[in-house]
Amino acid sequence: MKGRPLTLEEFREGKVAGAVFTRLSKKEFGKKRYGLEPGVWVSGKRAMEVGAVDELSRANEPAFRVREGNALYINESLRKLLSSGSGDVVLALDLPGAVMRTAHLGGSAFLLLGMLALMRHMGKGQAVGAPVSQTKRLHALDSLRGVAAMCVFLFHASGVMFPGSWFTLGKVNTEYAVPAVAKWIMTPPFSLVLNGELMVHIFWVLSGFVLARPLLKKASFDLVAKATAKRYFRLLPLPFITTVASFFLYTSGGFFTGHFNDLSRFDSGMFTIGMVPMTFTSMLWEAVFLGRGFNAPLWTVQLELVGSLALFGLIACTLSMARRELVWGAVLAVMMFVWPQKFMVDFLAGLFIAAHSLRRPDFRLGGGVALLVLAMVVAIGSIHMSRDLSGTWFAWYPSLGVWPLHIAATLAVGLALYSQAAITLLSWRPLVWLGERSFALYVVHALTLHTVGQGVAVVFMKMGLAPVAASTLGLGFCVMATFWISDLLTRWVDWPSVNFSNRVGNWLMTAQVKTESAAEDVVKEGLVPSKELQGEMPCSR
C-alpha cells in the first residue's frame, strides 16, 4: 500500500479512553486533497473504521477513526501493533474507500427513494392530513404517547447538546460545573421530564392496550391472525428510512458530533452509530430487521415487535377461556420473577387495562383518586430519574428496580383513560397533533440532534458564541426541525404504512382463505371424507 508508515512516537494521549491520536498534515492528508480521506492499512489490509471515536475502546481488532479530516485516532489494539512492530502499519489516501463511499451513497439514496415511492403508492386514495381510522382512536392516549416521545427527545438532547454530568448520574465533566438550572431540572418533580426510561415503559403499556382491545372486543381468531401478519409491516417503513438515512449521513459526513466535541469539549456521545461494521450490507440488515446499529433509539421498536407478537400469541391461546385473566396473571408472574422481561410486563399491563375497559366502559376515576394517581406517577418517575438506586434495597433482585416504572407507566395510562380531567387536557389539539406524529418524532430525533442541533451549535461557536449558549440555540433549531421532519414523515410514510400493512395482511389472509376453500371443495366433491380432513387440519379454524 502506497503511503507513509505510522510510528508510535507521533501519537499522544487524549481525552478519549482507550485511544491515542495524532494531527495529520492537512496539506498531505487533509480532506481536500483529491477529495480523499486518509485510511490505515495493516499488512496490506485496511483496518476497521468505527463510526465514532468513543467506539474505539470497544473494538477488539485494530481500528481507527478520522475526525474532522486530520485528527487520526487509533485503538489500543492498533497501538500495540505499532509498539511491537509486528505489523506494517501504513497511512494512505483511501481511494478504495472513496469509491465505496460513492457506491454506498448511491445505494442508500436508491433505498430511500424506493421506500418513499412505495409509501406514496400506498397512500393513494387516503385523505390528506388525516390518518386511517382516525375517528376510532382515543385522542388522550395519542397525546400521552406524544408527550412521552417528546420527553425521550429531551432526555437524549440533554446528553447530546450539553455536558453529560449535568443531567446524567455518575458521569463527570470537570471543565463545566453543573449550573443551578441543571440542578433544578434534576430535582423532583421536574426531573420527571427527563426520565426517558419511564416514557419507554409508557410506550409499551400503550401498545399492549391499543393492540389488545380490538382483539378482545371482537374475539375473532381471524382478526388475531391478521394483526399478527401485518404487525412487522406496520412497524417497518419509518425505522427502515431513518436507518438508511443515518447511514447516508454518516457516509457523506453529515453528522457533526466530532466537530461539536472539538469546539465545546462536552464529550458528547452518538445515538446514531453503534458498534456495527460501517458497510452497506450491515446497514441493510439493520434496516430490514429493525436493528439499532445506525439509530440507537430503535432498540425499543425491535422489542415492540417481539412484545406484539408474544401478546397476539397469548390472546389467541386464551381467547375462548372463561378465566383467561388467571392465565395472564401467571404469565405476568413468570415475566417479573422467573424470566425477567421488562417490556413484556408492560404489554401485559396494557392487556389487563384493555380487558377492564371493555368490561367497564363507563368507569371513571374520581377527582381525588386521579390526583393521588398523578402524584404517584410524578413521584416515582422523578425520584427514579434523580436518585441512584443501585445501592438501595431495589438492588437485591435484578428486575426489582424496574418495578416502580412498571407501576408508574400503568398508572399513567390508566389516568389518561379513566380521568375526565386528564382526558380533557390531553384532548388539547396541539397535544393530539404531537401524538399523531410521535412515532416519527421518536425514530428521527437522534438524527436531527447530530445534524441540525450540533451543526447549528458548531456554526454559532465558530462565530464566537460560548458553547453552552450555542448549544441552547442549536437545540431550539433542532426542536423546530424535528417537528417539521416528523410531520413530513408522518404524512408521507407513517400514515401510508397503515395501508401498506393492511394490504399485506389482507393478501396473507386471502391466501389462507383460498387454501381452506379449496379443501372444502374437495370435501364437497366426495374425494376426501370430511371427518378425515378435519382430523388432518385441527388448527385451520
Side-chain angles (χ1 to χ4, degrees):
M1 175 60 62
K2 186 178 179 180
R4 72 170 179 86
L6 286 172
T7 60
L8 185 61
E9 288 73 21
E10 61 185 295
F11 287 88
R12 61 184 183 272
E13 297 287 344
K15 292 178 60 177
V16 180
V20 292
F21 80 102
T22 185
R23 293 284 179 182
L24 306 175
S25 168
K26 284 194 174 182
K27 182 178 179 181
E28 183 181 7
F29 290 106
K31 275 188 174 182
K32 294 183 179 180
R33 185 170 175 80
Y34 311 120
L36 303 179
E37 291 186 356
V40 177
W41 275 259
V42 178
S43 300
K45 182 180 178 181
R46 189 173 185 271
M48 181 179 72
E49 182 179 8
V50 296
V53 173
D54 295 337
E55 305 292 342
L56 285 170
S57 61
R58 290 189 278 174
N60 296 322
E61 60 183 286
F64 73 97
R65 173 64 178 166
V66 178
R67 174 184 285 181
E68 297 307 314
N70 73 317
L72 173 65
Y73 289 78
I74 62 174
N75 68 341
E76 185 64 27
S77 178
L78 196 51
R79 181 182 183 178
K80 289 180 179 179
L81 284 177
L82 288 175
S83 177
S84 63
S86 58
D88 182 21
V89 183
V90 175
L91 177 72
L93 292 177
D94 194 1
L95 178 59
V99 174
M100 188 61 68
R101 278 191 293 274
T102 302
H104 285 171
L105 288 173
S108 301
F110 176 78
L111 290 175
L112 283 172
L113 294 175
M115 180 59 78
L116 288 173
L118 176 61
M119 291 299 102
R120 177 180 174 82
H121 174 72
M122 291 297 168
K124 288 181 178 179
Q126 180 178 321
V128 177
V132 175
S133 303
Q134 174 63 33
T135 57
K136 297 180 180 179
R137 303 182 69 179
L138 297 173
H139 291 307
L141 298 185
D142 268 345
S143 299
L144 179 61
R145 191 186 297 272
V147 171
M150 191 64 197
C151 289
V152 172
F153 176 24
L154 294 176
F155 168 63
H156 288 158
S158 68
V160 170
M161 301 299 298
F162 301 99
S165 58
W166 287 10
F167 304 104
T168 305
L169 296 174
K171 189 175 181 180
V172 178
N173 187 313
T174 56
E175 293 193 31
Y176 293 93
V178 181
V181 64
K183 294 179 180 179
W184 177 74
I185 293 174
M186 287 299 290
T187 302
F190 309 107
S191 55
L192 172 68
V193 177
L194 296 184
N195 195 333
E197 188 176 357
L198 171 60
M199 304 306 158
V200 169
H201 286 278
I202 290 176
F203 290 154
W204 288 329
V205 176
L206 283 170
S207 294
F209 173 84
V210 172
L211 294 174
R213 196 173 191 277
L215 303 182
L216 297 177
K217 184 177 181 179
K218 296 187 177 180
S220 167
F221 285 103
D222 285 343
L223 191 62
V224 176
K226 183 179 178 180
T228 304
K230 71 180 186 180
R231 186 58 177 163
Y232 166 76
F233 300 97
R234 173 66 182 93
L235 295 174
L236 174 66
L238 272 177
F240 184 93
I241 283 179
T242 54
T243 297
V244 177
S246 177
F247 180 75
F248 183 92
L249 289 168
Y250 162 77
T251 305
S252 61
F255 292 132
F256 291 90
T257 303
H259 202 176
F260 176 83
N261 281 332
D262 286 342
L263 294 174
S264 68
R265 299 191 180 278
F266 285 174
D267 195 21
S268 172
M270 288 193 73
F271 283 99
T272 48
I273 302 298
M275 197 57 204
V276 294
M278 298 292 106
T279 64
F280 189 84
T281 304
S282 175
M283 177 274 294
L284 191 58
W285 178 273
E286 296 286 309
V288 172
F289 294 102
L290 310 179
R292 57 171 292 183
F294 294 87
N295 190 358
L298 295 186
W299 71 273
T300 63
V301 180
Q302 201 170 52
L303 292 182
E304 172 84 16
L305 176 62
V306 175
S308 300
L309 298 181
L311 181 71
F312 295 150
L314 179 62
I315 292 174
C317 292
T318 60
L319 198 59
S320 59
M321 291 184 181
R323 295 177 177 83
R324 55 193 177 194
E325 286 85 354
L326 294 177
V327 178
W328 300 347
V331 174
L332 178 63
V334 170
M335 294 301 173
M336 293 186 72
F337 293 99
V338 181
W339 186 47
Q341 297 294 319
K342 59 182 181 181
F343 67 100
M344 277 307 305
V345 173
D346 297 314
F347 274 92
L348 290 169
L351 175 62
F352 276 105
I353 296 175
H356 181 269
S357 69
L358 291 173
R359 207 165 37 241
R360 300 187 61 184
D362 298 326
F363 178 79
R364 289 292 181 270
L365 292 174
V369 176
L371 284 176
L372 178 61
V373 171
L374 177 62
M376 292 178 65
V377 173
V378 172
I380 293 173
S382 59
I383 293 174
H384 181 274
M385 181 62 193
S386 59
R387 299 289 185 271
D388 184 3
L389 304 178
S390 59
T392 66
W393 59 275
F394 284 108
W396 77 271
Y397 188 70
S399 65
L400 189 60
V402 189
W403 286 10
L405 297 182
H406 295 315
I407 296 171
T410 304
L411 291 176
V413 174
L415 189 68
L417 186 65
Y418 294 130
S419 169
Q420 189 58 52
I423 293 172
T424 302
L425 175 63
L426 292 173
S427 297
W428 186 38
R429 185 56 201 168
L431 292 180
V432 175
W433 183 92
L434 182 65
E436 292 171 349
R437 288 145 185 83
S438 59
F439 190 22
L441 187 152
Y442 181 80
V443 300
V444 81
H445 74 269
L447 277 66
T448 56
L449 280 171
H450 291 299
T451 52
V452 179
Q454 292 184 331
V456 171
V458 166
V459 172
F460 281 114
M461 281 188 281
K462 285 185 174 181
M463 293 170 59
L465 204 62
V468 174
S471 295
T472 304
L473 288 173
L475 179 58
F477 278 94
C478 179
V479 170
M480 292 186 290
T482 303
F483 283 167
W484 178 62
I485 295 172
S486 298
D487 181 61
L488 294 180
L489 287 176
T490 299
R491 294 171 182 271
W492 294 354
V493 180
D494 191 32
W495 289 344
S497 70
V498 177
N499 280 345
F500 173 55
S501 62
N502 283 333
R503 290 188 183 186
V504 173
N506 290 334
W507 177 76
L508 291 172
M509 294 299 293
T510 301
Q512 179 186 2
V513 171
K514 288 182 178 179
T515 302
E516 294 181 358
S517 299
E520 291 173 358
D521 290 340
V522 171
V523 174
K524 291 178 180 179
E525 293 175 5
L527 298 179
V528 179
S530 60
K531 290 183 178 180
E532 293 181 15
L533 182 62
Q534 291 172 1
E536 293 172 2
M537 302 174 62
C539 299
S540 62
R541 299 293 180 187

